[in-house]
Amino acid sequence: MADDAPSFQSDDVISGAAQGRLKSFIERIERLEEDKAAVSEDLKEVYSEAKGEGFDVKILRKVVRIRKQDKAKMSEEEALIELYMSAIEG
Amino acid sequence: MADDAPSFQSDDVISGAAQGRLKSFIERIERLEEDKAAVSEDLKEVYSEAKGEGFDVKILRKVVRIRKQDKAKMSEEEALIELYMSAIEG
Amino acid sequence: MADDAPSFQSDDVISGAAQGRLKSFIERIERLEEDKAAVSEDLKEVYSEAKGEGFDVKILRKVVRIRKQDKAKMSEEEALIELYMSAIEG
Amino acid sequence: MADDAPSFQSDDVISGAAQGRLKSFIERIERLEEDKAAVSEDLKEVYSEAKGEGFDVKILRKVVRIRKQDKAKMSEEEALIELYMSAIEG
DNA sequence: GCTTGGGGCGTTCGAC
DNA sequence: GTCGAACGCCCCAAGC
């Protein structure tokens, strides 16, 4: 392990500097989790709004899911082509 | 698959306006899901960076989780206090 | 909870009858896990054999995965149609 | 390179024969994966049935896992005994 | 050893 | 409100 990456994984006293970095990491993580929760909340609202306009949420979800699968499949196919290419070049 | 909404096979034809709203909903949902995925990605990066500085990711996650529980608990308690206060004042 | 489904989830003494059923469940599970392990072993052998004939295992796996995605997507689409149908009928 | 292990990793077209073998491999793999999925499904059913009779699934899994470890350990010990035996007899 | 895939677990969402 | 099912998250193990 690099000198600037000491292990704090067990039986260590954490230095003041490490403490500061730890605090910073925790804050960044908690901020991001808040963001994520906010986005999830927005999603729920959109579904709710759609429902309020008469759309079937279940169907909506499935449509989104299928479109997601489409994209995933396309990505996989592109990755496969990449594999083929690299296999040929190798 | 065609971009437009699938046609229903009975006399329930979706109006052009409804079609537009549907499309809008789908787009908003997909945009939000992308956001969510991006945030998740950022989270992974932060954990990865922390790991690179020697912090134990598993422990880090536990700490975040515990702090979250603490906050939830405090909110509950504050709500309860509010309730008592209002009961007294009322 | 139903009378014929008592909870053995904590601080209970297990009756002789329950003991017998438990033993039976464990045996069935272990038998199935053996089967599963055997199938996994067969799979490994097939991949190994394919590799021995010059095929790229990584590509093979990806092809299988993509075909699986195809099927899953088709199933989803069929399910979506079902949903549409039921929505119309409702 | 040996005739029975041609490389498909560079600039060749896959022969009809190779194509046939490839198809065969894919089919065997997919058949085995179906088997595996079926067994997994059976396992789920058994756990579900056990749950219906009041057993705790999580604990059940742990028990199975521990027994598996025990058996592995016994096999190790038996192998060690075999080794000692052969050493003595040799 | 590092990363990628599989399995288990908890949570969340929809159905009844 | 309870139930089961689906989803994402996390851990572990195997492969490169």
Side-chain angles (χ1 to χ4, degrees):
Chain A
M1 185 170 286
D3 289 348
D4 60 345
S7 171
F8 304 126
Q9 301 187 177
S10 66
D11 63 30
D12 263 331
V13 175
I14 295 182
S15 74
Q19 217 171 36
R21 291 204 305 279
L22 175 58
K23 193 167 183 293
S24 166
F25 279 126
I26 296 286
E27 281 166 3
R28 285 167 67 191
I29 289 165
E30 291 183 340
R31 181 74 181 81
L32 287 170
E33 298 225 324
E34 278 171 30
D35 290 351
K36 204 171 149 188
V39 176
S40 292
E41 200 56 34
D42 289 348
L43 260 173
K44 282 184 64 175
E45 282 175 32
V46 174
Y47 276 114
S48 178
E49 187 184 338
K51 184 176 183 176
E53 293 200 15
F55 293 102
D56 184 314
V57 173
K58 195 172 171 185
I59 290 179
L60 233 41
R61 285 186 192 276
K62 206 168 266 294
V63 169
V64 170
R65 217 178 133 191
I66 290 173
R67 284 167 58 95
K68 193 173 172 185
Q69 283 183 340
D70 279 347
K71 283 166 195 156
K73 195 171 154 302
M74 287 185 63
S75 295
E76 287 262 25
E77 283 167 1
E78 283 165 15
L80 183 60
I81 291 171
E82 295 285 322
L83 264 190
Y84 283 157
M85 297 293 278
S86 66
I88 290 167
E89 286 167 4
Chain B
M1 181 176 289
D3 286 345
D4 26 319
S7 59
F8 287 16
Q9 12 270 347
S10 82
D11 44 346
D12 283 340
V13 176
I14 291 185
S15 73
Q19 220 173 39
R21 291 204 306 280
L22 175 59
K23 193 165 183 294
S24 166
F25 279 125
I26 298 286
E27 280 166 4
R28 286 168 67 192
I29 290 166
E30 292 183 340
R31 182 74 180 82
L32 287 170
E33 297 223 324
E34 279 171 29
D35 290 352
K36 205 171 151 188
V39 176
S40 292
E41 198 56 33
D42 288 348
L43 263 172
K44 282 185 63 178
E45 282 174 33
V46 174
Y47 278 114
S48 178
E49 187 183 338
K51 180 179 184 177
E53 293 200 14
F55 294 102
D56 184 311
V57 172
K58 196 173 165 184
I59 302 296
L60 233 40
R61 287 184 192 277
K62 263 197 211 306
V63 168
V64 170
R65 186 173 173 178
I66 290 171
R67 283 167 58 94
K68 192 174 173 183
Q69 287 174 349
D70 284 349
K71 281 170 191 156
K73 198 162 168 298
M74 286 186 62
S75 294
E76 287 247 13
E77 285 169 359
E78 282 166 15
L80 195 58
I81 291 171
E82 294 286 321
L83 182 65
Y84 285 175
M85 296 291 278
S86 65
I88 292 168
E89 287 166 3
Chain C
M1 184 169 287
D3 289 349
D4 62 345
S7 172
F8 305 126
Q9 302 188 177
S10 67
D11 62 32
D12 265 330
V13 175
I14 295 182
S15 73
Q19 217 170 37
R21 291 205 306 279
L22 175 58
K23 193 166 181 298
S24 165
F25 280 126
I26 296 286
E27 280 166 4
R28 286 167 66 191
I29 289 165
E30 292 183 340
R31 182 74 181 81
L32 288 169
E33 297 226 324
E34 279 171 30
D35 291 351
K36 203 170 152 190
V39 176
S40 291
E41 200 54 36
D42 290 347
L43 261 173
K44 282 183 65 177
E45 282 175 32
V46 175
Y47 276 115
S48 179
E49 188 184 337
K51 184 177 184 176
E53 293 199 16
F55 293 103
D56 184 314
V57 173
K58 195 172 171 185
I59 289 179
L60 233 41
R61 285 186 191 277
K62 206 169 266 292
V63 169
V64 171
R65 254 183 88 186
I66 289 173
R67 284 166 58 95
K68 194 172 171 186
Q69 284 182 340
D70 279 348
K71 284 166 194 154
K73 196 171 153 301
M74 287 185 62
S75 295
E76 287 263 26
E77 282 167 2
E78 283 164 15
L80 183 60
I81 291 171
E82 295 285 321
L83 264 189
Y84 283 156
M85 297 293 278
S86 66
I88 290 167
E89 287 166 3
Chain D
M1 184 167 293
D3 289 348
D4 61 345
S7 168
F8 302 127
Q9 299 187 168
S10 68
D11 69 14
D12 34 37
V13 176
I14 294 183
S15 72
Q19 218 170 39
R21 291 204 305 281
L22 175 59
K23 192 165 183 295
S24 166
F25 279 125
I26 297 285
E27 280 165 4
R28 286 168 66 192
I29 290 165
E30 291 183 340
R31 182 75 179 79
L32 288 170
E33 298 224 324
E34 278 171 29
D35 291 351
K36 203 172 154 189
V39 176
S40 291
E41 199 56 33
D42 290 347
L43 263 172
K44 281 186 63 179
E45 282 175 33
V46 175
Y47 278 115
S48 178
E49 188 184 338
K51 182 179 183 178
E53 293 200 14
F55 295 103
D56 184 311
V57 173
K58 193 175 167 185
I59 301 295
L60 234 40
R61 287 185 192 277
K62 264 198 210 307
V63 169
V64 171
R65 186 173 173 181
I66 289 171
R67 282 168 58 93
K68 192 174 174 185
Q69 287 173 351
D70 284 349
K71 281 169 192 155
K73 197 162 168 299
M74 286 186 62
S75 294
E76 286 246 15
E77 284 168 1
E78 281 166 15
L80 195 57
I81 290 171
E82 293 287 320
L83 183 65
Y84 286 173
M85 296 291 278
S86 65
I88 292 167
E89 288 166 2

